[in-house]
Amino acid sequence: MKRLITAAAFVVFGTVASVAQDVQTRLIRFGYGLNEDSVQGRAVRKFAEDVEKASGGKMTVRAIGAAALGPDTQMQNALVGGAQEMMVGSTATLVGTIKEFGIWDTPFLFNNEKEADAVLDGPVGEKLLGMLPEKGLIGLVYWENGFRNLTNSRRQVSSAEDIQGLKVRVMQNQVALGTFQAVGANAVPMAFSELFTALETKAVDGQENPFTTILSSKFYEVQNYLTVTNHMYSPWIVLVSKKWWDTLSADEQKILKDAAVASRDFERKDNRETSAKALDDLKKAGMDIAVLPDTEIAKFREMSKSVADGVIASVGQSLWDEVQAEIAKVRGK
Ligand code: TK8
């Protein structure tokens, strides 16, 4: 009798996942660049838990952080070839493959996170995701790295001019490079996975990243000065190998899509909630922190204005206009 009841309960409450769904045993190698103790690490773990739960334990996500599977571009290639299933990384590292992604690196494109969310999750963000399949990738969602701020080991930057001559590591694309060249820095493109050592050995003076990333990457150990500049908003993108994706059932794809959306909401919330504390922790760790005054931000904006022209030339006026129209919609609300 007891057995019968248990069996009946299983039919009623038992997860549809393990009974009716077309789900196979799957191992998902999910690579990312930051340390395990980071917003990226936490969100990948949340994704893993959701996928395992929704698949009745059949789909297992193996999270591999700290660029142990290589820098973003190497992981992208592994996804295209089918040697790795998933990753999360900067949209900036996709620009070499799909130039349109460079639009997100435009300096001062978004004024706040609300604008970024609306545009990235809206039709233009979707349009860019739609360019990935023909390159062998599936883009599920955008996560947030966040607004970027400048650190260096040489001097506190209190004016736009102070950036001149600093050797600053930038992300590996023309937009990020052009932005720092425009303000007179000696900009050096480099993979993120090489950055800590480059800062430590003083191969470069500085870098720029959001507070949470500066903290979780322990850059405070090798950088004395942090200047709040918010010069650009950096998205991350969750990618899947198309080669592997095409072997999945519709149910399996849905499990991944749903978990990706949940992980996006979790990750953005986590990043926003921990950002102010990260800044506080960086101060406690001994960093000299200053906010670049509005008048100097205005100069930074002005000096880097030509970068937008370069972006337009590369992505096309119509895509640029679409993005601007989406931003205007949010600003109008
Ligand atoms: C980490 C990278 C990094 C990015 C960069 O995966 O390269 O500076 O901002 O956070 O995506």
Side-chain angles (χ1 to χ4, degrees), residues 151-157 162-167 186 202 204-206 222-225:
T151 71
N152 84 92
S153 58
R154 286 183 50 193
R155 55 175 177 259
Q156 185 50 271
V157 169
D162 285 345
I163 303 170
Q164 279 174 30
L166 281 180
K167 203 167 180 185
N186 177 1
K202 299 222 160 44
V204 292
D205 300 320
V222 288
Q223 299 277 272
N224 293 330
Y225 304 101

Side-chain angles (χ1 to χ4, degrees), residues 31-35 40 67 71-72 75 87-93 145-146 148 169-172 190-193 195 207-210 213-214 216-217 219 232 234-237:
Y32 60 97
L34 295 188
N35 292 320
Q40 257 184 1
D72 285 5
M75 290 196 282
M87 66 171 285
V88 62
S90 187
T91 54
T93 53
N145 189 355
R148 303 178 79 89
R169 173 272 176 179
V170 295
M171 294 190 288
Q172 293 157 294
M190 186 188 292
F192 184 80
S193 51
L195 182 52
Q207 65 84 44
E208 35 86 58
N209 254 296
T213 293
I214 295 169
S216 63
S217 302
F219 290 159
M232 179 220 149
S234 243
W236 280 324
I237 184 167

Side-chain angles (χ1 to χ4, degrees), residues 131-197:
M131 294 175 181
L132 289 160
E134 68 176 283
K135 302 292 181 185
L137 298 166
I138 300 289
L140 293 183
V141 285
Y142 296 98
W143 287 0
E144 166 171 290
N145 189 355
F147 282 97
R148 303 178 79 89
N149 297 292
L150 183 65
T151 71
N152 84 92
S153 58
R154 286 183 50 193
R155 55 175 177 259
Q156 185 50 271
V157 169
S158 45
S159 70
E161 283 78 26
D162 285 345
I163 303 170
Q164 279 174 30
L166 281 180
K167 203 167 180 185
V168 179
R169 173 272 176 179
V170 295
M171 294 190 288
Q172 293 157 294
N173 71 53
Q174 203 50 50
V175 188
L177 179 65
T179 300
F180 276 84
Q181 284 175 336
V183 288
N186 177 1
V188 184
M190 186 188 292
F192 184 80
S193 51
E194 291 166 31
L195 182 52
F196 187 91
T197 306

Side-chain angles (χ1 to χ4, degrees), residues 7-259:
F10 182 73
V11 171
V12 176
F13 302 111
T15 48
V16 186
S18 57
V19 183
Q21 290 199 125
D22 179 8
V23 176
Q24 315 261 316
T25 301
R26 304 276 186 186
L27 174 66
I28 303 161
R29 286 160 293 186
F30 193 138
Y32 60 97
L34 295 188
N35 292 320
E36 273 178 38
D37 185 13
S38 69
V39 281
Q40 257 184 1
R42 290 192 288 275
V44 176
R45 282 199 290 282
K46 150 87 177 153
F47 176 82
E49 281 164 23
D50 282 6
V51 168
E52 294 192 25
K53 204 189 274 171
S55 67
K58 284 190 168 175
M59 298 169 81
T60 309
V61 178
R62 185 182 295 161
I64 307 162
L69 295 177
D72 285 5
T73 47
Q74 191 178 319
M75 290 196 282
Q76 287 160 19
N77 287 336
L79 260 57
V80 171
Q84 182 184 330
E85 290 73 28
M86 289 186 73
M87 66 171 285
V88 62
S90 187
T91 54
T93 53
L94 276 173
V95 181
T97 314
I98 301 171
K99 60 183 184 334
E100 282 82 356
F101 276 96
I103 204 162
W104 307 136
D105 294 325
T106 309
F108 305 104
L109 182 70
F110 300 126
N111 286 337
N112 53 54
E113 287 113 356
K114 203 175 137 214
E115 293 177 9
D117 289 357
V119 176
L120 291 164
D121 300 344
V124 199
E126 280 290 326
K127 183 182 240 178
L128 266 69
L129 297 185
M131 294 175 181
L132 289 160
E134 68 176 283
K135 302 292 181 185
L137 298 166
I138 300 289
L140 293 183
V141 285
Y142 296 98
W143 287 0
E144 166 171 290
N145 189 355
F147 282 97
R148 303 178 79 89
N149 297 292
L150 183 65
T151 71
N152 84 92
S153 58
R154 286 183 50 193
R155 55 175 177 259
Q156 185 50 271
V157 169
S158 45
S159 70
E161 283 78 26
D162 285 345
I163 303 170
Q164 279 174 30
L166 281 180
K167 203 167 180 185
V168 179
R169 173 272 176 179
V170 295
M171 294 190 288
Q172 293 157 294
N173 71 53
Q174 203 50 50
V175 188
L177 179 65
T179 300
F180 276 84
Q181 284 175 336
V183 288
N186 177 1
V188 184
M190 186 188 292
F192 184 80
S193 51
E194 291 166 31
L195 182 52
F196 187 91
T197 306
L199 294 169
E200 190 176 36
T201 59
K202 299 222 160 44
V204 292
D205 300 320
Q207 65 84 44
E208 35 86 58
N209 254 296
F211 302 142
T212 47
T213 293
I214 295 169
L215 181 70
S216 63
S217 302
K218 300 190 173 18
F219 290 159
Y220 55 84
E221 290 180 357
V222 288
Q223 299 277 272
N224 293 330
Y225 304 101
L226 190 161
T227 317
V228 181
T229 48
N230 291 313
H231 55 274
M232 179 220 149
Y233 178 89
S234 243
W236 280 324
I237 184 167
V238 176
L239 296 170
V240 188
S241 160
K242 181 169 187 300
K243 203 171 181 180
W244 177 72
W245 180 258
D246 290 345
T247 69
L248 301 180
S249 71
D251 287 337
E252 290 168 332
Q253 290 181 351
K254 185 171 186 312
I255 287 171
L256 296 181
K257 277 188 195 162
D258 290 349

Side-chain angles (χ1 to χ4, degrees), residues 6 16 41 62 70-71 146 201 204 268 285 288 300-301 323 327 333:
T6 315
V16 186
R62 185 182 295 161
T201 59
V204 292
R268 285 181 182 159
D288 175 341
F300 193 147
R301 259 179 198 267
V323 168
I327 296 173
K333 266 177 203 160

